[in-house]
């Protein structure tokens, strides 16, 4: 009988420890999920190299006022998109835009561009000259060449996007 009580007490302690650990893990999971979602949101506005730098050293201070750099801006939008959308349901418009951006966003990032703004079917992309910094994995360190190559590759990506949309009707 005493053994049974000891065994029951031990099982109770194990359950208590397990419940506390479960609560800790649940809290950690929620915190990690929140951090992941915040990181995804921030990553949409910052260059991946900058996000990586922030993740390596979260305490790094950003200098207000910035610094003078050589840069270029690329604007792109879909020709005739506004007229085309007049006959579509809002969900269909959003779906088509998501398809378009899913094709061009990786192209922009691969050429070292940072999406500054999305303006409906348009996008504003900023490119910074990395020649003074340690360049990341870019196809070409020349700013002008990167921007032009990005534009050309974006046109190819639009063709892929159009093919995908055509298969959907």
């Amino acid at each position: 009988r005493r053994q049974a009580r000891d065994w029951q007490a031990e099982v109770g302690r194990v359950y208590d420890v397990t419940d506390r650990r479960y609560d800790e893990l649940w809290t950690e999971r929620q915190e990690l999920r929140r951090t992941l979602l915040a990181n995804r949101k921030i990553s949409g506005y910052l260059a991946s190299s900058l996000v990586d730098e922030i993740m390596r050293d979260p305490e790094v201070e950003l200098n207000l006022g910035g610094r003078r750099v050589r840069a270029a801006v690329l604007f792109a939008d879909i020709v005739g998109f506004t007229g085309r959308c007049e006959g579509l349901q809002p969900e269909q418009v959003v779906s088509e835009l998501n398809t378009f951006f899913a094709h061009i966003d990786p192209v922009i990032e691969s050429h070292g561009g940072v999406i500054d703004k999305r303006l409906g079917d348009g996008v504003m992309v900023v490119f910074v000259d990395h020649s003074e910094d340690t360049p990341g994995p870019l196809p070409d360190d020349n700013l002008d060449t990167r921007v032009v190559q990005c534009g050309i590759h974006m046109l190819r990506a639009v063709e892929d996007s159009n093919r995908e949309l055509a298969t959907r009707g």
Side-chain angles (χ1 to χ4, degrees):
R1 203 171 222 326
R2 184 170 183 236
Q3 262 185 327
R5 279 193 308 259
D6 290 347
W7 181 80
Q8 287 174 339
E10 182 60 26
V11 168
R13 281 190 294 275
V14 168
Y15 276 133
D16 289 344
V17 167
T18 303
D19 284 347
R20 279 194 303 274
R21 184 63 184 141
Y22 177 80
D23 288 343
E24 290 169 3
L25 289 171
W26 176 256
T27 301
E28 283 179 33
R29 180 191 181 278
Q30 294 303 98
E31 289 172 10
L32 286 171
R33 185 173 186 276
R34 184 176 159 277
T35 301
L36 176 63
L37 291 173
N39 188 3
R40 283 184 185 160
K41 292 289 184 186
I42 290 170
S43 296
Y45 294 99
L46 300 174
S48 58
S49 59
L50 181 56
V51 172
D52 292 343
E53 186 177 330
I54 292 169
M55 295 303 288
R56 273 192 307 276
D57 186 4
E59 302 301 317
V60 69
E61 289 188 34
L62 300 176
N63 296 325
L64 296 177
R67 63 181 182 168
R68 185 178 290 254
V69 296
R70 186 169 175 271
V73 179
L74 180 147
F75 291 92
D77 74 341
I78 302 171
V79 175
F81 191 75
T82 303
R84 175 176 159 62
C85 290
E86 291 172 355
L88 301 177
Q89 295 296 317
E91 297 82 6
Q92 195 173 1
V93 172
V94 170
S95 175
E96 290 189 10
L97 284 174
N98 286 338
T99 299
F100 169 68
F101 288 125
H103 281 85
I104 68 163
D105 287 4
V107 172
I108 293 166
E109 184 173 344
S110 72
H111 288 82
V114 177
I115 297 172
D116 183 74
K117 290 181 181 53
R118 295 190 194 277
L119 311 159
D121 64 313
V123 63
M124 176 181 161
V125 183
V126 177
F127 294 84
V128 176
D129 187 352
H130 291 284
S131 62
E132 294 180 17
D133 301 330
T134 304
L138 302 173
D140 190 313
D141 291 339
N142 181 296
L143 176 67
D144 303 329
T145 304
R146 280 194 295 129
V147 175
V148 171
Q149 285 178 342
C150 182
I152 292 168
H153 291 134
M154 285 172 67
L155 290 171
R156 291 181 189 150
V158 169
E159 291 172 2
D160 294 339
S161 174
N162 288 344
R163 276 192 291 279
E164 181 178 333
L165 290 170
T167 62
R168 292 192 221 164

